[in-house]
Amino acid sequence: MNDSNDFSGKNGKVKVMYVRSEEQDNNKGNDKRRGGGRDDRRGNDKRGGDRRDGARQDRGGRSSRPEGGREGRRSDNRNEAPRERSPWRTVSKPDSEELTNDHGGIVGKSQIDPEQLRKQRQEETRIYGENACQAMFKNRPDAIVRAWFLQSVTPRFRDALKWMAANRKAYHVVDDEELSKASGTEHHGGVCFIIKKRGGMSADAYLQQAAGNDCVLALEDVGNPHNLGGIMRSCAHFGIKGVILQDAGMLESGAAIRTAEGGAEHIKAIDADGLTDTLDKFRKAGYTIVTTSSHKGSQDLAKAKLPAKMVLVLGQESDGLSDSTWDQGDMSLYIGGTGKVESLNVSVATGIMLAQWWQQNQVK
């Protein structure tokens, strides 16, 4: 029994194999407080096993333990039901119980309807630029959904930050890299807002609230956001309140609003499903339709008397107005110059013509 050859491996060393019972693991801390080392004396002795613990080993190195012995006296609670003797315990689940991923305590399906989320995002847009966002906060603070700021601009947005905190509007003070990601551009001006879109209004709705001298701008195939921003800036400067265009959402792009430098908040987009029909509605309401071109015969702006109520129609720089829109004009104008360039940028031409209308009809 004490012959070590009976427990030797191929290399001649004594093989000792043992298992730890569950009760030993549970009482490990208590044993250490009572002097330590008692684990080894109860069967984990590396000298080949402790015969006092009743353990026997066979030639294959397997360990067996007789029923009873000290094992049954280790329980701190004598009324406790006997524990399972084997240290290897298998826990099985019913076939009907499926394994689920643990998501940090968050269970169940998302309460956000994907279709509702998609619709919500279609109704929102990003704007950026310090003047644009300041004007947005001053005129439509309730439309702000979320905001990002560089630390350097926060002193100038102190009132906006206080208002957003009081009204539970989310905002973040971030670095330049994070703000570029949030705004989608490096030309963010230190601030970015996500806002609810205003959308366009119908021609009938605009005409119901129009009064007195009024100039409305109509744009055909003008889509460059920087040109649109420059046009909105000129419109705000000269008191133009309405802009007719086929897609009212173009006036809500971040680049256009930033270029407008706050002017976008004073402009109302007027939807035109059909530009010809919309112009006809304004004509019937007493407006003169004024078309512009540098390619077709018309009157020099410097010599023209502009009507107090008019719709000024401009087209893209390369081709100008289409023939069908040009034929709608009650009056046609061009801006005289040296002739060294074919035409002016559409936003520049708009500013010049609106300045002329302002001087003739609004200046007192």
Side-chain angles (χ1 to χ4, degrees):
M1 188 69 179
N2 293 328
D3 187 359
S4 63
N5 291 330
D6 293 340
F7 304 96
S8 298
K10 293 181 180 181
N11 56 5
K13 295 182 178 181
V14 176
K15 289 197 300 182
V16 178
M17 299 181 66
Y18 59 90
V19 294
R20 184 188 299 276
S21 67
E22 183 178 0
E23 286 78 7
Q24 286 174 315
D25 291 335
N26 293 336
N27 294 329
K28 184 177 179 181
N30 294 333
D31 291 341
K32 289 183 178 180
R33 288 193 295 271
R34 290 196 291 265
R38 298 184 66 180
D39 245 2
D40 292 340
R41 293 198 298 273
R42 285 200 298 269
N44 292 341
D45 192 354
K46 296 183 180 178
R47 292 173 295 180
D50 193 334
R51 297 178 62 184
R52 290 175 299 175
D53 198 28
R56 294 185 177 88
Q57 294 179 334
D58 60 15
R59 289 179 178 271
R62 294 188 298 272
S63 176
S64 61
R65 190 175 301 278
E67 295 294 331
R70 294 187 180 181
E71 190 70 30
R73 296 197 298 269
R74 288 176 186 155
S75 176
D76 292 334
N77 186 355
R78 296 186 177 182
N79 295 326
E80 186 179 313
R83 293 178 179 268
E84 184 179 354
R85 301 294 184 194
S86 172
W88 318 111
R89 302 183 63 184
T90 302
V91 179
S92 60
K93 294 184 177 182
D95 294 338
S96 60
E97 184 176 350
E98 298 182 358
L99 294 176
T100 57
N101 292 327
D102 181 9
H103 298 286
I106 301 175
V107 296
K109 295 183 179 180
S110 172
Q111 299 301 313
I112 301 177
D113 183 1
E115 182 63 24
Q116 181 181 357
L117 182 61
R118 184 189 63 81
K119 182 179 179 182
Q120 179 179 331
R121 288 177 176 173
Q122 287 181 338
E123 295 173 349
E124 296 173 351
T125 188
R126 291 178 296 186
I127 68 170
Y128 44 85
E130 188 169 334
N131 290 338
C133 291
Q134 287 281 22
M136 173 71 206
F137 170 67
K138 181 179 179 180
N139 291 276
R140 291 187 295 141
D142 290 333
I144 299 173
V145 176
R146 185 180 295 269
W148 291 263
F149 302 91
L150 291 183
Q151 182 66 48
S152 58
V153 307
T154 54
R156 297 189 291 278
F157 281 88
R158 186 178 293 107
D159 292 339
L161 290 168
K162 290 180 179 179
W163 184 89
M164 282 186 273
N167 290 272
R168 299 183 180 276
K169 301 283 187 176
Y171 68 88
H172 316 272
V173 179
V174 298
D175 58 20
D176 187 79
E177 181 179 0
E178 186 68 22
L179 186 53
S180 296
K181 292 179 182 179
S183 63
T185 178
E186 296 179 353
H187 308 290
H188 45 64
V191 57
C192 172
F193 287 172
I194 291 181
I195 65 170
K196 297 176 183 177
K197 292 180 180 179
R198 287 180 294 181
M201 64 188 310
S202 67
D204 293 332
Y206 179 88
L207 290 170
Q208 287 177 1
Q209 52 87 44
N213 294 355
D214 188 32
C215 177
V216 174
L217 194 65
L219 303 176
E220 184 183 45
D221 297 330
V222 178
N224 183 291
H226 297 95
N227 284 339
L228 290 172
I231 288 171
M232 287 192 288
R233 188 173 182 177
S234 295
C235 286
H237 183 74
F238 293 114
I240 310 305
K241 299 180 179 65
V243 177
I244 302 170
L245 67 170
Q246 288 125 319
D247 182 5
M250 292 191 299
L251 296 186
E252 305 244 33
S253 76
I257 292 176
R258 181 184 188 279
T259 306
E261 295 289 353
E265 294 304 315
H266 306 282
I267 306 302
K268 297 177 181 178
I270 303 171
D271 279 316
D273 293 334
L275 184 57
T276 299
D277 293 340
T278 302
L279 293 177
D280 190 55
K281 287 183 179 181
F282 276 86
R283 180 185 289 108
K284 291 178 180 178
Y287 287 75
T288 300
I289 309 303
V290 179
T291 55
T292 59
S293 175
S294 58
H295 307 287
K296 301 176 182 179
S298 55
Q299 183 179 0
D300 190 341
L301 174 65
K303 301 176 181 179
K305 172 60 180 176
L306 300 181
K309 296 183 68 172
M310 75 174 191
V311 177
L312 180 62
V313 189
L314 295 100
Q316 57 180 318
E317 297 169 30
S318 58
D319 300 326
L321 297 175
S322 64
D323 291 339
S324 59
T325 302
W326 173 263
D327 293 339
Q328 287 290 314
D330 302 314
M331 181 179 183
S332 299
L333 300 174
Y334 74 93
I335 300 173
T338 63
K340 293 181 179 180
V341 292
E342 183 179 3
S343 64
L344 292 171
N345 173 274
V346 64
S347 65
V348 174
T350 300
I352 293 172
M353 291 188 172
L354 294 182
Q356 190 76 350
W357 177 84
W358 172 265
Q359 290 174 358
Q360 292 184 16
N361 294 282
Q362 297 295 90
V363 176
K364 296 181 181 179

